[in-house]
Amino acid sequence: MAKPWATLGVDLHLDPAGPGLRRGLTEALREAVRSGRLAPGTRLPSSRTLAADLGIARNTVADAYADLVAEGWLTARQGSGTRVAGRTVVRPAGSAGRPREPVRPAYDLLPGLPDLASFPRTEWLKAARRALTAAPYDALGYGDPRGRTELRGALARYLARARGVRADPERIVVCAGFAHGLKLLATALRARGVRTVAVESYGLDTHWTLLTRAGLHTAPLPFDERGTDPGRLTDGEPADAGAVLLTPAHQFPMGVPLHRDRRAAVVDWARRTGGLVLEDDYDGEFRYDRQPVGALQGLDPDRVVYLGTASKSLAPGLRLAWMVLPPGLVGEVTAAKGGVDTCGVTDQLTLAEFINSGAYDRQVRSARLRYRRRRDALVAALAARAPQVRATGIAAGLHAVLRLPPGTEQSVVRAAAWQGLAVHGLTRYRHPDAATEPVDGLVVGYATPPDHAWSGALDALCLALPG
């Protein structure tokens, strides 16, 4: 007995053109196969179904199918229907072929990614099941533009406990990743009349580009062993700076925490001038030498915007991040968001349950232990096999900066490529207008490879480094 859905056929978009329906349909089908739009083995709708879809006679479709079977474009067998023939399609002269895929490196040591193989799939699925079972019907509607109340409440409790953030659920806005949050803030700042955002001398060019595209100028601040130096900012330079973007817990990529005196100085600047501090707490939970450095936001929740993300603790593919905003900024940011919740409701509910159940804390602790072991292995390998190279910024986070002898960065990056490594030189992260003296180094993301590939990646890295 045929299954009910078996008679429904498949959707097929065709636009028969030319003199005569049969000829037009035949040519449309032939071109769909020739161009690759219908891949070999694709099952076509039955003649009855396609005739009904196109509003033409069934015999017209059957005749077109028969013509193309005779030409070898289609095959027809009893019981298996009509399918696209498995033949080599010769592209017309002058047509461009697909671009060749770039050769993938054997090992990925780029910073910014956790070990995606360690994503807690089983626990996440359990949390999703519990969350969806308990969710009210209205949770699947358009919802609050700030995000689901369940997630904002869970985040407020977690951030207060684990990061020292003074968070009210009413002042939390969920966003689709850090870049989305920064874009929303840039729009709100521009609407306030801000023209310049001070940034760190080393950071991500994607963030600088995002601010620039929003109509904001980025002005880099000096950097030294105590982190970003806000002295120039507190002295009134640049004079039109209305905000500063910082990574105070673990400067990216250099890896040092912002000195306590400078933390106080930048907050004092914001209070005095009415400016805002944008705190990027991208990996603040991963500290190895002592308790994590508390969030800067705790010093002044009315002048500091706290931005956090699940990209390092779980996976960037979730596209879940959050902002804890000063009271006066909530309406402006939600307006920039378009007045709707643009983040997936099911993942928000799942993350809320994941946090409330304690699974998030267990995941962070497990990852912290695993990444610390990798960091220790990296430091030991450098000491034994590349003593000229020193790992810095390793008290926290998922990456290290390997300081190289002057003038060797580019040659080491090339040598790493020969070893099948994807790795970035430190120069890539230096702001083009930075006055800070450039240094040679590699930025190594030691969290990125899965466990089974870590030893091979470490061997390849040591081979690329000066001995």
Side-chain angles (χ1 to χ4, degrees):
M1 179 178 176
K3 297 178 180 178
W5 49 263
T7 60
L8 298 180
V10 296
D11 287 336
L12 177 61
H13 173 73
L14 291 171
D15 187 15
L21 277 176
R22 174 177 172 179
R23 181 175 175 182
L25 177 59
T26 303
E27 180 55 37
L29 284 165
R30 185 187 294 114
E31 180 56 30
V33 176
R34 180 190 290 119
S35 66
R37 190 164 65 85
L38 291 177
T42 301
R43 183 170 182 167
L44 301 183
S46 68
S47 58
R48 184 190 304 275
T49 300
L50 186 57
D53 289 345
L54 297 177
I56 61 178
R58 180 183 178 186
N59 285 342
T60 301
V61 178
D63 290 343
Y65 278 3
D67 290 343
L68 294 170
V69 168
E71 293 176 15
W73 295 101
L74 304 179
T75 62
R77 294 181 182 176
Q78 187 69 28
S80 64
T82 304
R83 297 177 181 271
V84 176
R87 59 182 289 171
T88 302
V89 178
V90 180
R91 293 183 179 272
S95 65
R98 290 182 179 181
R100 294 183 63 184
E101 292 289 333
V103 178
R104 296 185 62 183
Y107 304 106
D108 186 352
L109 292 180
L110 299 180
L113 279 176
D115 176 5
L116 299 178
S118 68
F119 181 82
R121 300 185 185 212
T122 300
E123 291 298 322
W124 186 260
L125 286 172
K126 290 179 181 178
R129 188 175 296 111
R130 293 192 301 268
L132 287 175
T133 300
Y137 295 128
D138 64 5
L140 300 178
Y142 288 106
D144 191 317
R146 294 171 298 177
R148 284 301 305 173
T149 182
E150 295 91 341
L151 179 55
R152 290 187 287 115
L155 285 170
R157 292 186 292 273
Y158 173 78
L159 294 173
R161 167 173 57 83
R163 300 297 298 123
V165 174
R166 291 155 66 182
D168 181 336
E170 298 301 306
R171 290 162 52 180
I172 294 178
V173 173
V174 179
C175 45
F178 175 85
H180 180 222
L182 185 59
K183 183 177 181 180
L184 296 174
L185 288 169
T187 301
L189 289 172
R190 193 72 174 82
R192 284 188 168 196
V194 173
R195 294 294 178 267
T196 298
V197 176
V199 297
E200 297 172 310
S201 287
Y202 286 90
L204 284 173
D205 57 352
T206 52
H207 296 168
W208 304 328
T209 300
L210 190 153
L211 293 170
T212 300
R213 287 177 178 171
L216 298 166
H217 174 65
T218 60
L221 299 174
F223 177 88
D224 59 27
E225 68 278 358
R226 298 199 300 171
T228 298
D229 185 357
R232 181 181 165 206
L233 189 65
T234 57
D235 289 341
E237 295 182 27
D240 59 349
V244 56
L245 174 61
L246 298 172
T247 51
H250 186 231
Q251 201 282 330
F252 183 85
M254 304 303 284
V256 299
L258 188 63
H259 191 274
R260 61 178 180 274
D261 292 343
R262 293 182 175 179
R263 289 163 67 93
V266 76
V267 170
D268 287 344
W269 165 82
R271 289 170 177 164
R272 187 177 69 255
T273 64
L276 287 171
V277 181
L278 312 183
E279 178 181 13
D280 178 4
D281 194 34
Y282 67 102
D283 66 356
E285 296 150 316
F286 295 103
R287 186 99 194 165
Y288 309 122
D289 61 343
R290 53 186 169 87
Q291 284 293 103
V293 176
L296 184 66
Q297 188 263 7
L299 296 180
D300 193 338
D302 292 336
R303 302 261 45 105
V304 181
V305 176
Y306 176 89
L307 297 103
T309 174
S311 294
K312 306 299 183 293
S313 55
L314 290 170
L318 294 177
R319 307 313 303 144
L320 285 175
W322 43 87
M323 296 179 282
V324 183
L325 301 167
L329 199 57
V330 176
E332 297 168 57
V333 169
T334 53
K337 203 177 180 184
V340 296
D341 187 2
T342 55
C343 303
V345 167
T346 55
D347 280 342
Q348 289 188 58
L349 293 171
T350 301
L351 180 57
E353 171 62 24
F354 202 72
I355 294 171
N356 290 334
S357 68
Y360 188 81
D361 284 277
R362 292 192 295 273
Q363 166 67 13
V364 169
R365 286 195 297 269
S366 174
R368 189 185 294 139
L369 179 60
R370 180 168 58 256
Y371 298 148
R372 178 170 184 165
R373 288 171 177 165
R374 292 193 186 186
R375 181 207 65 171
D376 292 346
L378 171 63
V379 172
L382 293 177
R385 301 167 62 180
Q388 293 187 60
V389 178
R390 180 170 57 96
T392 63
I394 57 174
L398 312 181
H399 72 276
V401 173
L402 308 190
R403 296 297 183 94
L404 301 172
T408 63
E409 180 180 306
Q410 293 306 311
S411 62
V412 171
V413 170
R414 287 193 296 269
W418 278 105
Q419 295 296 332
L421 283 174
V423 67
H424 284 164
L426 183 57
T427 302
R428 178 188 180 94
Y429 300 97
R430 186 172 181 271
H431 194 286
D433 298 331
T436 301
E437 189 69 22
V439 295
D440 286 71
L442 291 184
V443 183
V444 174
Y446 53 77
T448 307
D451 285 338
H452 67 83
W454 172 236
S455 61
L458 194 53
D459 288 341
L461 175 64
C462 289
L463 288 173
L465 296 173

